[in-house]
């Protein structure tokens, strides 16, 4: 069972997040806290903790300060930042300091639960909204180097990269939090736009035109 410590200074928000997490029987809220000091007091008791989900802005000890303390105390504990801030500066700072994840507070319940399980296995996670924004920047920059004049949507580019990784429609649907039918629609659109006969030809087109490496 995944042992999670929830740190959020607003009671209503914390209770709402707790309710969402408790929907999954494989997650247990080991402790709740209003600031980083209370989190550190709990982990120092020796209680088993897998993931700390912490608001980046808390009184007395904020999320970043807590992150630094946890890394010194026990770097095996994953810390995920929960924030209203979508500024690149906050996101970059969190990951530079060693955060395992960064989520916006409007994240869906499914993505919230998935992210905690994912980082508990050693991965890094950036919520889909921020990931799409980052991808948008990459695509805009990449357009100057691409040999293709086809207008792909951001989601199509994302699906194209996952196809190149060999992922199935179902795997892509789960990763992107969309339906399998929607993934199939994007795949078909990519084939039609590029005039490819099959998936192999689609990947070849993408490589030759610098869309994927």
């Amino acid at each position: 069972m995944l042992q999670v410590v929830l740190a959020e200074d607003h009671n209503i928000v914390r209770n709402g997040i707790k309710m969402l997490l408790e929907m999954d029987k494989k997650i247990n809220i080991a402790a709740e806290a209003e600031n980083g000091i209370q989190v550190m007091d709990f982990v120092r008791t020796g209680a088993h903790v897998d993931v700390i989900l912490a608001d980046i802005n808390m009184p007395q000890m904020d999320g970043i300060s807590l992150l630094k303390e946890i890394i010194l105390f026990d770097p095996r504990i994953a810390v995920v930042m929960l924030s209203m801030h979508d500024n690149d500066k906050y996101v970059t700072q969190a990951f530079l300091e060693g955060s395992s994840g960064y989520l916006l507070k409007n994240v869906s319940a499914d993505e919230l639960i998935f992210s905690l399980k994912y980082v508990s296995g050693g991965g890094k996670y950036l919520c889909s909204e921020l990931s799409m924004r980052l991808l948008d920047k990459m695509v805009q920059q990449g357009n100057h180097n691409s040999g293709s004049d086809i207008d792909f949507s951001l989601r199509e580019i994302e699906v194209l990269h996952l196809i190149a990784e060999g992922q199935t429609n179902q795997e892509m649907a789960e990763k992107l939090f969309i339906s399998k039918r929607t993934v199939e629609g994007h795949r078909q659109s990519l084939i039609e736009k590029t005039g490819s006969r099959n998936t192999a030809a689609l990947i070849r087109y993408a490589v030759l035109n610098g869309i994927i490496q």
Side-chain angles (χ1 to χ4, degrees), residues 94-109:
F95 282 109
L96 285 176
E97 295 292 352
S99 178
S100 294
Y102 195 102
L103 306 173
L104 294 180
K105 288 191 175 181
N106 62 356
V107 69
S108 69

Side-chain angles (χ1 to χ4, degrees), residues 3-147:
Q3 301 297 324
V4 176
V5 173
L6 176 57
E8 162 64 59
D9 59 313
H10 292 95
N11 290 336
I12 294 177
V13 177
R14 188 174 67 252
N15 290 335
I17 296 172
K18 181 181 178 182
M19 289 179 61
L20 293 178
L21 294 179
E22 288 180 337
M23 292 168 56
D24 193 302
K25 295 181 179 179
K26 294 183 179 180
I27 293 179
N28 177 57
I29 305 299
E32 297 178 54
E34 296 181 355
N35 55 61
I37 293 175
Q38 292 179 0
V39 175
M40 290 307 304
D41 288 343
F42 178 76
V43 297
R44 288 192 181 107
T45 65
H48 177 70
V49 177
D50 295 303
V51 182
I52 296 171
L53 178 61
D55 186 357
I56 203 167
N57 291 321
M58 295 183 291
Q60 299 184 53
M61 181 186 287
D62 61 26
I64 296 296
S65 299
L66 169 62
L67 171 61
K68 295 176 181 178
E69 290 289 328
I70 289 295
I71 289 176
L72 291 174
F73 180 78
D74 188 349
R76 295 171 299 178
I77 299 175
V79 179
V80 176
M81 294 290 110
L82 185 64
S83 177
M84 293 177 64
H85 301 294
D86 58 1
N87 190 294
D88 290 350
K89 182 183 73 172
Y90 286 93
V91 179
T92 301
Q93 182 185 9
F95 282 109
L96 285 176
E97 295 292 352
S99 178
S100 294
Y102 195 102
L103 306 173
L104 294 180
K105 288 191 175 181
N106 62 356
V107 69
S108 69
D110 286 342
E111 187 172 8
L112 173 62
I113 291 171
F114 172 84
S115 67
L116 298 185
K117 292 181 178 179
Y118 186 78
V119 301
S120 70
K124 299 279 187 179
Y125 191 87
L126 179 64
C127 68
S128 59
E129 181 176 334
L130 292 176
S131 295
M132 288 300 295
R133 190 175 305 171
L134 176 62
L135 181 60
D136 188 16
K137 292 181 180 178
M138 293 172 61
V139 170
Q140 294 302 321
Q141 294 171 356
N143 279 342
H144 299 293
N145 301 318
S146 174

Side-chain angles (χ1 to χ4, degrees), residues 143 146-152 156 190 192-195 205 211:
N143 279 342
S146 174
S148 173
D149 58 358
I150 297 175
D151 184 20
F152 296 108
E156 285 173 342
L190 285 165
E192 292 176 356
K193 284 184 176 182
T194 59
Y205 175 92
I211 302 172

